[in-house]
Amino acid sequence: MEHIKRSLRVLGGLAVALGISSVLGSNNARSEALKGFGSAATGGLGGEIVQVRSTEALNHELCRSYSFGQCNDNSPREIQVIGTIDFTGTEGRGEGQGCQYGRTCSAPYKRESLLLMDGNDAHCDGKEKTLVGFDRAGKRPLEIGSNKTVIGVGPNATIKGKGLRLNGVSNVVIRNLTISDVNQGVIFAGDAIAIARADLVWIDHNRFHNIGRQMIAGGFGPTTNIAISWNDFDGSDVSIRRRPRPDWIILVASA
């Protein structure tokens, strides 16, 4: 387990075989020119610039309108995150059927629990079933509309306790954020960034810390023209499921 006790900085990034390229460059999150499949992403460039400091404001500005449960807010907008926006405990606690999952690593790593997705989920077959508790906020990600830039202001900009979801959208930029503490130790209770049926996305210079399931998750439909560059996947005090999908290439080096 020693090889995952260090923070991991993505140099080559995460690359999906059909559409995600890796980017190498300087450590300057503001001035680095984008290359790769997502190089045409402009996000909210030219649109309204808003600063958010609360859970309510962030949720509203990421997506101002929905249709049939899906975000349809396509207006260009730059959302600047100020300080730590903490969703932990804001939606109460929940519990569902699950099991203890996987082997136990040495301290300070913790054994993971798995929360079954539904009655047909077979992940706990052969294991003793038990009730698994979780923070409801982490299981309900923030939806992002098309033509949006979400950027942290300063080194401490953080979204805590809830991740982001890009579902059926295009032209999204996510930069200079920490996303942390999304149901640490509970599998299937929230991702840091989930991408489904999205096109033209740039995820750059972000830090992921204490994420219960996946730090960046794909495989939920076609994802094209996506660049993931210079992100820090911090595994210093949480167990990590290192089971990449067959269509993901993971290239990492110690920080």
Side-chain angles (χ1 to χ4, degrees):
M1 300 300 295
E2 188 65 31
H3 62 292
I4 66 171
K5 292 182 181 179
R6 301 182 299 267
S7 295
L8 299 178
R9 183 170 302 281
V10 171
L11 298 179
L14 296 170
V16 172
L18 297 177
I20 295 185
S21 73
S22 60
V23 179
L24 297 178
S26 72
N27 281 316
N28 189 329
R30 296 281 180 169
S31 63
E32 180 183 341
L34 176 60
K35 301 176 183 179
F37 289 123
S39 61
T42 58
L45 183 66
E48 181 183 4
I49 298 175
V50 296
Q51 293 189 338
V52 295
R53 295 175 171 82
S54 69
T55 57
E56 294 84 359
L58 178 60
N59 188 47
H60 174 70
E61 297 299 344
L62 291 175
C63 181
R64 294 179 180 176
S65 61
Y66 292 84
S67 177
F68 300 102
Q70 183 168 329
C71 182
N72 65 354
D73 177 0
N74 300 323
S75 299
R77 186 158 58 253
E78 178 176 308
I79 299 104
Q80 299 181 350
V81 177
I82 310 295
T84 296
I85 299 179
D86 189 355
F87 288 87
T88 306
T90 58
E91 299 175 27
R93 296 285 299 175
E95 62 180 13
Q97 283 290 322
C99 59
Q100 296 297 306
Y101 194 80
R103 62 182 180 176
T104 303
C105 301
S106 58
Y109 298 92
K110 302 174 181 179
R111 190 172 185 181
E112 293 177 314
S113 299
L114 185 144
L115 180 68
L116 291 173
M117 293 180 285
D118 54 45
N120 298 317
D121 190 338
H123 279 91
C124 287
D125 287 1
K127 301 179 184 294
E128 182 181 355
K129 302 284 182 64
T130 184
L131 286 177
V132 175
F134 61 95
D135 189 315
R136 293 184 187 276
K139 206 169 184 299
R140 299 169 178 169
L142 295 161
E143 302 284 348
I144 303 179
S146 296
N147 307 312
K148 303 292 185 291
T149 294
V150 188
I151 187 166
V153 176
N156 300 316
T158 300
I159 300 174
K160 182 178 179 181
K162 191 183 279 283
L164 306 172
R165 180 163 61 186
L166 286 63
N167 182 23
V169 298
S170 64
N171 193 27
V172 175
V173 175
I174 303 171
R175 307 190 75 194
N176 197 42
L177 282 173
T178 293
I179 303 177
S180 73
D181 300 285
V182 182
N183 277 314
Q184 178 188 3
V186 185
I187 302 166
F188 297 144
D191 306 306
I193 299 177
I195 308 173
R197 298 172 294 281
D199 177 61
L200 206 58
V201 177
W202 184 23
I203 301 172
D204 174 70
H205 278 83
N206 303 287
R207 180 172 180 260
F208 303 95
H209 177 62
N210 284 353
I211 307 299
R213 183 175 178 257
Q214 304 287 355
M215 298 185 184
I216 300 177
F220 306 106
T223 54
T224 54
N225 299 312
I226 297 177
I228 301 176
S229 58
W230 288 104
N231 295 282
D232 184 1
F233 296 83
D234 181 0
S236 62
D237 58 358
V238 61
S239 59
I240 297 177
R241 294 175 65 231
R242 301 194 69 185
R243 186 182 297 173
R245 297 175 182 274
D247 59 345
W248 287 73
I249 300 171
I250 299 180
L251 304 173
V252 299
S254 58

